Amino acid sequence: AFKAILRSKTYIDKSGLIAYTNQVLETSRMLTCFSRPRRFGKSFAAKMLTAYYSKGADSRELFEDLEIAGMKDAQFEENLNKHDVLFFDITSFISMADSINDTIRDLQSDIIHELKEIFPNCIDENIKSLFKALMQIHAKTGRKFFIIIDEWDALFREAQENEELQKEYIQLLRSMFKSSQTSQVITGAYMTGIVPIKKYGTQSALTDFKEYTMLEPGVLTSFIGFTD
């Protein structure tokens, strides 16, 4: 996906975002959320990070001519294709589910099924919780994961009246990002959304995220925001 993005004549180099992400890996700031309206490049950035970090890719040639490859102290080599990445697009899972009520169950089931193929004999057969599966993999292999969630808030927008489904989703997020084991299993997270986290009354699972909004873009303005 990122290779296709690079072929576009309109692509603008935003690879400096990788330097920031490398800087906060496995720190108290490792959870990052960007909230922006559509067409601000949030998904482009998510695909870029996936291509850069994932052990499932050999993407050196995609980055060797970008800014990140020449940045000092950016830890470019140290993290290039060195991480186990989980990328999931919530909108895609919603569209594929037979019923929107099945979204979270299907999401966890599908990802666990794939993890069992990649990490055989690591996950108990009856495990249905994604984070429990990641914990079991870590316990047996020592491997940790970088989580990328595109349009995390899609479920809240598509199922505004379904409080039970929202609670199920929040519980999934809480298990991954607000657990005493989070730092043991997760090296970092990048999450995108349209509506800022604080707009949701059930956002307690996400309070550990450092959020960059339209009004408070912080040091990352040049990567996913307006500049002069």
Side-chain angles (χ1 to χ4, degrees):
F2 185 57
K3 182 183 291 186
I5 292 170
L6 287 176
R7 289 181 180 144
S8 169
K9 294 181 180 179
T10 60
Y11 177 73
I12 296 173
D13 188 345
K14 300 296 182 74
S15 63
L17 174 62
I18 295 171
Y20 169 81
T21 311
N22 284 344
Q23 185 182 52
V24 300
L25 284 177
E26 298 195 69
T27 73
S28 60
R29 297 178 295 146
M30 68 179 180
L31 307 178
T32 302
C33 180
F34 279 103
S35 56
R36 293 285 190 284
R38 291 182 174 89
R39 321 290 358 140
F40 266 81
K42 302 186 302 295
S43 295
F44 275 24
K47 292 169 183 175
M48 176 186 71
L49 292 176
T50 305
Y52 171 76
Y53 284 113
S54 179
K55 288 181 178 179
D58 181 7
S59 59
R60 177 177 299 277
E61 66 177 32
L62 301 182
F63 291 96
E64 57 188 8
D65 293 328
L66 298 183
E67 179 186 18
I68 182 64
M71 293 179 67
K72 293 183 178 179
D73 303 320
Q75 302 176 60
F76 174 71
E77 294 288 348
E78 291 90 330
N79 291 295
L80 177 64
N81 302 140
K82 297 294 198 314
H83 294 259
D84 291 299
V85 175
L86 293 184
F87 176 100
F88 38 105
D89 179 350
I90 301 301
T91 302
S92 177
F93 277 102
I94 292 173
S95 65
M96 290 189 295
D98 292 334
S99 166
I100 195 170
N101 295 327
D102 299 331
T103 302
I104 303 307
R105 184 189 63 191
D106 290 352
L107 183 153
Q108 295 188 86
S109 176
D110 289 351
I111 297 176
I112 290 172
H113 177 75
E114 186 173 345
L115 288 170
K116 285 181 176 179
E117 292 182 344
I118 299 171
F119 299 98
N121 305 316
C122 287
I123 304 172
D124 293 344
E125 193 61 37
N126 62 343
I127 288 294
K128 296 181 179 179
S129 163
L130 174 57
F131 192 65
K132 285 184 178 179
L134 298 181
M135 289 174 61
Q136 290 189 351
I137 293 170
H138 175 71
K140 293 185 178 180
T141 68
R143 305 274 278 270
K144 302 175 76 169
F145 296 85
F146 191 98
I147 310 292
I148 297 178
I149 304 179
D150 200 15
E151 293 207 52
W152 82 272
D153 57 341
L155 200 61
F156 288 95
R157 292 183 273 110
E158 298 293 332
Q160 295 182 31
E161 308 301 324
N162 193 334
E163 292 188 5
E164 286 302 314
L165 181 60
Q166 292 180 19
K167 288 179 180 178
E168 183 182 4
Y169 183 36
I170 284 292
Q171 187 57 40
L172 169 63
L173 297 175
R174 188 192 306 276
S175 69
M176 291 195 296
F177 302 125
K178 206 169 181 66
S179 164
S180 58
Q181 285 83 38
T182 295
S183 60
Q184 298 176 29
V185 180
I186 293 177
T187 60
Y190 173 91
M191 193 166 69
T192 78
I194 292 176
V195 180
I197 289 174
K198 62 184 178 182
K199 290 291 184 182
Y200 294 108
T202 52
Q203 89 287 9
S204 59
L206 305 174
T207 52
D208 289 344
F209 274 83
K210 172 62 178 174
E211 187 175 19
Y212 295 92
T213 67
M214 290 284 287
L215 296 180
E216 298 181 357
V219 297
L220 303 185
T221 302
S222 60
F223 305 126
I224 192 161
F226 290 114
T227 64
D228 291 342

